[in-house]
Amino acid sequence: MESVTSRVLRVLDAFSAEHPDLSLSEIGRRTGLPLATVHRLVGELVTWGALERDGRGRYCVGLRLWEVAALAPRGLGLRDIAMPFLEDLYEATHENVQLAVLDGTDVVYLERISGRNAVPVLTRVGGRWPAHATGVGLVLLAYAPVEAQERYLAGPLAVFTGKTIADPARLRRALAEVRHRGFAVSDGQVTLDALSVAAPIRGSGNDVVAALSIVVRRGTTEPATLAPAVRTAALGISRALRR
Amino acid sequence: MESVTSRVLRVLDAFSAEHPDLSLSEIGRRTGLPLATVHRLVGELVTWGALERDGRGRYCVGLRLWEVAALAPRGLGLRDIAMPFLEDLYEATHENVQLAVLDGTDVVYLERISGRNAVPVLTRVGGRWPAHATGVGLVLLAYAPVEAQERYLAGPLAVFTGKTIADPARLRRALAEVRHRGFAVSDGQVTLDALSVAAPIRGSGNDVVAALSIVVRRGTTEPATLAPAVRTAALGISRALRR
């Protein structure tokens, strides 16, 4: 029999960026749990503050859960240390600045600072993206353990534009080049109008724990111009993490 | 008998800013749950990703919980809309810029941008502080429903410095002044070296849903100089929230 814990977590799983608020019956449909069970679990989650009820009687993720989650070392913890360096990079460029970590085969974005006039990007804080298309993802894959890399290369590689590298052999070469150069370039591989340059952030054990990128409109700047700034900021964060 | 749900939530409650990582036996001690129960619950939470195990075998809050929590409308949702305005205010001043909401009698900080040379502040993202001492808290109390205000004024009012307003009658006058002026000033009321100027952010129903502040070193700038910039940014966020 399924445990109560996994039912509770299934209720949390029902919420997504596309469905940030849900009615009781929607939670029932999305979890497959009986309505009486949903009613009881949601009641307990609301009491604790993991969920909140809005003015229209719909449920959404609550502030208390956000507070607990803020303690995640790979979430806001890393972000807090990185933030001053992201600020500097933003102020020097006024472009999109992004911080991400690898989770399974996806990159998860921890922070994004967007210039008002910067090229639009599809990512959001807390959002996921397949690693091989994005600048930060190429960095994180390039420095991932060999087994994780091989698993990724064996899997289906989604295509987002005509420039996405979806061929395993080409991707393998691209990852080797990232390691050789110390930074990654995603040139129109997520959307055709965006160019991303990303660099690795190393943790206390010197392994790559996160990646930093800058995303600009394609054709406005050369990767070689952006790389030193991104690498400088990434090295600064790495140093701060080792303190 | 206590439900399984509340035990799961008690495990999450065991983590705090002072104790961001815990061993199994520490979780047992902090929750009062039998070790066998802790073992089973933690196992399920790790499988789902609500908790993660670090290299030293200690447990911390996991990235998956952070992802779900990023869906909280009063957490990252509000923060995302506010961020460009916070950026502008930071770039114009290079001081501490803070975004907070009221939760019970506390302010919870959703975002903080800190200048490298700005005055040190005690707050952190995801952290709490009693409302009456801080600039953002004075704003949020001033515009809170009357019953909530009266409850607050009846409770004990903590003293942080000789300048903290801990007398209910004086606090009541201070809140009236905030409503009259449209902004709050906390002058050495949290730490003696910091001055905060805060303004209300209004949501779609025109009620105050959050507050924005700038925190500078006392004696460097007059509140009257800071107020227009803070209010301008707060009005910009309010407008963006109504769209």
Side-chain angles (χ1 to χ4, degrees):
Chain A
M1 198 193 107
E2 191 191 27
S3 74
V4 178
T5 309
S6 73
R7 285 185 199 170
V8 171
L9 298 172
R10 237 197 303 156
V11 170
L12 295 182
D13 266 330
F15 295 85
S16 66
E18 293 71 38
H19 301 94
D21 56 83
L22 298 168
S23 68
L24 276 183
S25 57
E26 283 165 350
I27 296 172
R29 250 197 321 279
R30 290 173 67 85
T31 56
L33 294 172
L35 213 55
T37 307
V38 169
H39 195 272
R40 184 171 47 75
L41 292 180
V42 166
E44 292 186 283
L45 289 167
V46 166
T47 303
W48 187 77
L51 298 181
E52 288 178 8
R53 198 161 175 269
D54 70 13
R56 297 168 302 153
R58 295 176 71 78
Y59 295 90
C60 58
V61 176
L63 197 63
R64 176 79 190 104
L65 197 70
W66 186 83
E67 269 186 83
V68 172
L71 301 171
R74 293 217 296 155
L76 287 177
L78 178 57
R79 176 210 162 276
D80 275 359
I81 292 170
M83 196 63 178
F85 300 91
L86 269 64
E87 286 297 329
D88 293 347
L89 194 54
Y90 170 75
E91 192 158 339
T93 63
H94 285 152
E95 300 286 357
N96 299 287
V97 175
Q98 304 192 118
L99 176 72
V101 294
L102 193 66
D103 193 55
T105 59
D106 296 328
V107 284
V108 174
Y109 290 89
L110 300 184
E111 183 57 85
R112 197 189 87 190
I113 304 178
S114 292
R116 262 174 221 282
N117 304 315
V119 63
V121 289
L122 300 177
T123 52
R124 62 175 184 82
V125 174
R128 287 177 173 266
W129 206 262
H132 69 285
T134 69
V136 283
L138 288 170
V139 162
L140 293 165
L141 272 185
Y143 294 97
V146 176
E147 317 83 72
Q149 251 178 51
E150 290 303 322
R151 256 197 320 275
Y152 199 100
L153 289 161
L157 299 170
V159 174
F160 300 100
T161 72
K163 292 177 145 273
T164 311
I165 306 176
D167 171 64
R170 273 192 61 211
L171 183 55
R172 199 187 301 271
R173 281 198 300 276
L175 297 179
E177 201 185 330
V178 170
R179 285 188 298 271
H180 177 69
R181 297 202 292 189
F183 65 93
V185 178
S186 167
D187 185 4
Q189 291 156 34
V190 177
T191 55
L192 279 174
D193 55 355
L195 168 82
S196 164
V197 176
I201 295 169
R202 292 175 185 275
S204 50
N206 207 37
D207 38 342
V208 172
V209 293
L212 174 70
S213 72
I214 187 161
V215 186
V216 304
R217 192 174 296 278
R218 271 185 78 203
T220 56
T221 323
E222 287 303 305
T225 315
L226 298 170
V230 177
R231 293 186 70 189
T232 302
L235 289 168
I237 299 169
S238 303
R239 198 166 359 92
L241 285 174
R242 280 197 295 273
R243 265 205 291 271
Chain B
M1 198 192 106
E2 190 191 30
S3 75
V4 178
T5 308
S6 74
R7 286 187 199 168
V8 171
L9 297 172
R10 243 205 289 163
V11 170
L12 295 183
D13 266 331
F15 295 85
S16 66
E18 293 70 38
H19 300 95
D21 57 82
L22 298 169
S23 69
L24 277 182
S25 58
E26 283 165 350
I27 296 173
R29 249 195 323 277
R30 290 174 67 86
T31 56
L33 295 171
L35 212 57
T37 308
V38 169
H39 196 271
R40 184 171 46 76
L41 293 179
V42 166
E44 293 187 282
L45 289 167
V46 167
T47 303
W48 186 77
L51 297 182
E52 288 178 9
R53 197 161 176 271
D54 70 14
R56 296 168 301 152
R58 295 177 70 79
Y59 294 89
C60 58
V61 176
L63 197 63
R64 176 82 191 103
L65 197 71
W66 187 82
E67 272 186 81
V68 172
L71 301 170
R74 292 216 296 156
L76 286 178
L78 176 59
R79 177 210 162 274
D80 275 358
I81 292 171
M83 196 63 179
F85 299 92
L86 269 62
E87 286 297 330
D88 294 347
L89 194 54
Y90 170 75
E91 192 157 340
T93 64
H94 285 150
E95 301 286 358
N96 300 288
V97 175
Q98 304 193 117
L99 176 72
V101 294
L102 194 65
D103 194 55
T105 57
D106 295 329
V107 285
V108 174
Y109 289 88
L110 301 183
E111 183 57 86
R112 198 190 86 190
I113 304 178
S114 292
R116 262 174 221 283
N117 303 315
V119 62
V121 289
L122 299 177
T123 54
R124 60 175 186 84
V125 174
R128 287 178 173 265
W129 206 263
H132 69 284
T134 70
V136 284
L138 288 170
V139 162
L140 292 165
L141 272 185
Y143 293 97
V146 176
E147 317 83 73
Q149 251 179 51
E150 291 304 322
R151 254 198 320 277
Y152 200 99
L153 288 162
L157 300 170
V159 174
F160 300 101
T161 71
K163 293 178 144 269
T164 310
I165 306 177
D167 172 63
R170 273 192 61 209
L171 183 54
R172 199 188 300 273
R173 282 198 301 276
L175 297 179
E177 200 186 331
V178 171
R179 284 190 298 272
H180 177 68
R181 298 201 293 189
F183 65 92
V185 177
S186 167
D187 187 3
Q189 291 156 36
V190 178
T191 54
L192 278 174
D193 55 354
L195 169 82
S196 164
V197 176
I201 295 169
R202 292 175 185 275
S204 49
N206 207 38
D207 37 342
V208 173
V209 294
L212 175 69
S213 72
I214 188 162
V215 185
V216 304
R217 192 175 295 277
R218 273 185 79 203
T220 57
T221 324
E222 287 303 304
T225 314
L226 298 170
V230 178
R231 294 186 70 190
T232 301
L235 288 168
I237 299 169
S238 303
R239 198 168 359 92
L241 285 174
R242 282 197 295 274
R243 266 205 290 271

